[in-house]
Amino acid sequence: MAMMARTIRNSASRRTMMMSRPIFGLRSMSSWWKNVEPAPKDPILGVTEAFLADPSPDKVNVGVGAYRDDNGKPVVLDCVREAERRIAGTSFMEYLPMGGSVKMVEETLKLAYGDNSEFIKDKRVAAVQSLSGTGACRLFADFQTRFNPGSQIYIFLFQPGPNAQVPQKTYHYYHPETKGLDFKGLMDDVKNAPEGSFFLLHACAHNPTGVDPTEEQWREISQLFKAKNHFAFFDMAYQGFASGDPARDAKSIRIFLEDGHHIGISQSYAKNMGLYGQRVGCLSVLCENEKQAVTVKSQLQQLARAMYSNPPLHGAQIVSTILGDPELKSLWLKEVKIMADRIIGMRTTLRESLEKLGSPLSWEHVTKQIGMFCYSGLTPEQVDRLTSEYHIYMTRNGRISMAGVTTGNVGYLANAIHEVTKSS
């Protein structure tokens, strides 16, 4: 028994010594991430979190970037419901190719380039399915970095991601005094940019300002781009949702195509089909010929392979089902116009309500701007008052999501805005 006790004590002692002795090359488990700092809070998501935590029955959220009906509720379009019903009868769960759904891409290109586009017929467009518009921008940023190293992109707002390594410069766009387009500043920056520069342009319903160039201004921009040999990369997240007419919303792109530009386009279906969580989009690049398009597509696919391998299936099935069926596409066109018209109607009502209250300020920009967002001109201090005194939530730059404005809260919103701005 004594010998057994000594053996147990010796074994325990050896284990203790082994546990306390540092093992060469192995760092303390608690030190792996000690240098990681908290990331800054997302300003938009922070608005929603604060809104949800507010117990006030009068609270209003005009910060959310998703469509709501006139009752403030999320919407699933009837065309989407019918597409889902048809898809439910299939059991295809395989990976999509790296380039995504061929049918979805084909139908998406028709929306941007036109149903009878010569570029599509001549197979000059290199295109792949992307992870919505954000993914398309990131994919193009990596493509630009790889094949135009050292080039930069001129932006108003662009977040390609921390690893894209694309040098960025800003160009003038929004005029804070007129709350409209700074066309002279924009043209000066385009003119003064080094020849062959990349520019990110919003095709319609500019986010966050809601300020779009006129058709004539787009033509002038296109001509100056041509003279400077600049490359235009269009982000088109609101086709159909801006005016209610997809062809009208693609006019800027069609102008550039008519003028002979080789362009890039990011498209997505979050806003105009309500497919926010499906993350379905498309990146396309117009090339010189079919051979070049095949080459460019192969490189886009290789970049996508390293990022996410294959794009998601379900959203692509919904889009291709809707756009590939004349009846469902017709239904979608009606529904997207209903969404656009509601937003346009709320702009008119908000402006009229402010004017009836006797506001000393001009609110003409509310109806001149277009799309989901209104750059109100409110200062951060005025936004803070709206939140603290009236429980109205928006980003501190004064951007109002018109999707959050309803017939039930527009009067309350107008009165609150009037109260915090009437002394301006």
Side-chain angles (χ1 to χ4, degrees):
M1 290 291 292
M3 184 177 291
M4 182 180 294
R6 284 196 301 272
T7 301
I8 292 173
R9 284 197 300 270
N10 290 339
S11 297
S13 178
R14 284 195 298 271
R15 285 197 300 271
T16 302
M17 290 175 65
M18 290 177 66
M19 292 175 65
S20 63
R21 185 184 303 151
I23 301 175
F24 181 77
L26 185 64
R27 69 168 71 193
S28 170
M29 292 176 66
S30 63
S31 69
W32 283 104
W33 315 117
K34 67 180 181 181
N35 295 325
V36 176
E37 298 289 338
K41 286 190 175 182
D42 185 286
I44 299 175
L45 297 181
V47 169
T48 300
E49 290 174 0
F51 169 79
L52 293 174
D54 188 342
S56 172
D58 299 320
K59 64 182 180 179
V60 176
N61 185 3
V62 286
V64 64
Y67 181 76
R68 298 291 183 261
D69 65 16
D70 200 42
N71 295 312
K73 303 296 183 183
V75 173
V76 178
L77 301 184
D78 288 339
C79 62
V80 171
R81 292 186 188 278
E82 174 57 22
E84 292 246 68
R85 187 191 66 79
R86 297 183 187 183
I87 294 168
T90 67
S91 57
F92 183 79
M93 294 294 170
E94 295 296 312
Y95 287 123
L96 283 173
M98 285 187 291
S101 165
V102 174
K103 185 177 180 183
M104 189 282 292
V105 170
E106 288 176 350
E107 295 297 337
T108 300
L109 294 181
K110 291 177 187 176
L111 280 181
Y113 293 84
D115 286 330
N116 300 309
S117 169
E118 60 182 285
F119 308 113
I120 296 176
K121 292 178 181 177
D122 294 341
K123 299 181 180 180
R124 290 177 53 192
V125 184
V128 295
Q129 183 181 334
S130 64
L131 304 184
S132 202
T134 308
C137 288
R138 172 56 195 274
L139 191 57
F140 183 80
D142 276 15
F143 180 73
Q144 177 186 340
T145 301
R146 177 174 290 187
F147 295 102
N148 285 275
S151 64
Q152 57 193 10
I153 188 163
Y154 284 77
I155 63 169
F156 179 82
L157 287 174
F158 186 41
Q159 295 294 334
N163 297 319
Q165 304 300 323
V166 179
Q168 301 171 24
K169 284 193 173 184
T170 57
Y171 59 84
H172 287 84
Y173 190 86
Y174 178 75
H175 197 297
E177 292 181 9
T178 64
K179 301 176 182 66
L181 180 67
D182 183 1
F183 185 62
K184 182 181 183 304
L186 168 62
M187 293 294 278
D188 285 344
D189 287 344
V190 172
K191 182 179 180 180
N192 294 328
E195 185 170 338
S197 294
F198 289 76
F199 277 78
L200 174 73
L201 303 171
H202 284 195
C204 62
H206 186 274
N207 182 3
T209 68
V211 175
D212 285 353
T214 64
E215 181 176 330
E216 183 55 40
Q217 287 172 333
W218 274 122
R219 294 191 184 281
E220 291 186 48
I221 294 169
S222 173
Q223 288 301 316
L224 186 53
F225 265 60
K226 195 168 186 177
K228 293 287 295 186
N229 194 32
H230 291 331
F231 185 91
F233 181 70
F234 285 93
D235 183 7
M236 185 161 59
Y238 296 91
Q239 187 179 11
F241 189 95
S243 69
D245 179 358
R248 177 180 173 184
D249 292 344
K251 188 63 179 178
S252 58
I253 289 174
R254 306 288 171 81
I255 288 171
F256 271 67
L257 293 175
E258 290 168 6
D259 288 345
H261 293 276
H262 293 170
I263 63 174
I265 307 176
S266 161
Q267 294 171 259
S268 58
Y269 292 97
K271 304 298 191 296
N272 58 10
M273 281 191 185
L275 301 177
Y276 301 97
Q278 298 297 337
R279 311 308 294 153
V280 55
C282 179
L283 167 63
S284 63
V285 179
L286 178 60
C287 302
E288 294 180 9
N289 50 51
E290 181 181 355
K291 181 180 179 181
Q292 187 180 82
V294 170
T295 301
V296 170
K297 182 178 179 179
S298 72
Q299 293 291 347
L300 293 176
Q301 290 181 149
Q302 187 177 82
L303 289 167
R305 173 65 171 167
M307 283 189 202
Y308 52 82
S309 191
N310 312 81
L313 169 66
H314 190 66
Q317 288 180 313
I318 294 173
V319 172
S320 59
T321 301
I322 292 171
L323 297 182
D325 181 274
E327 184 179 345
L328 281 184
K329 184 175 180 180
S330 177
L331 177 58
W332 170 64
L333 291 172
K334 291 177 182 177
E335 292 186 288
V336 76
K337 189 175 189 309
I338 289 172
M339 291 193 291
D341 286 348
R342 194 187 87 73
I343 296 294
I344 293 169
M346 285 297 98
R347 286 182 177 276
T348 301
T349 304
L350 178 59
R351 175 184 171 181
E352 290 177 349
S353 298
L354 285 162
E355 291 171 346
K356 287 177 182 178
L357 288 167
S359 174
L361 305 176
S362 171
W363 296 100
E364 185 180 18
H365 60 283
V366 175
T367 50
K368 277 191 170 182
Q369 295 172 10
I370 191 170
M372 180 174 286
F373 300 109
C374 169
Y375 228 45
S376 65
L378 293 168
T379 67
E381 294 75 22
Q382 290 168 340
V383 172
D384 291 343
R385 281 192 63 194
L386 285 175
T387 301
S388 62
E389 298 177 27
Y390 299 95
H391 306 275
I392 295 172
Y393 293 83
M394 68 180 74
T395 51
R396 294 188 79 234
N397 60 6
R399 186 192 79 163
I400 295 175
S401 172
M402 295 304 301
V405 184
T406 68
T407 53
N409 65 28
V410 66
Y412 179 75
L413 175 64
N415 182 72
I417 292 175
H418 177 57
E419 289 298 320
V420 303
T421 59
K422 63 184 181 182
S423 61
S424 298

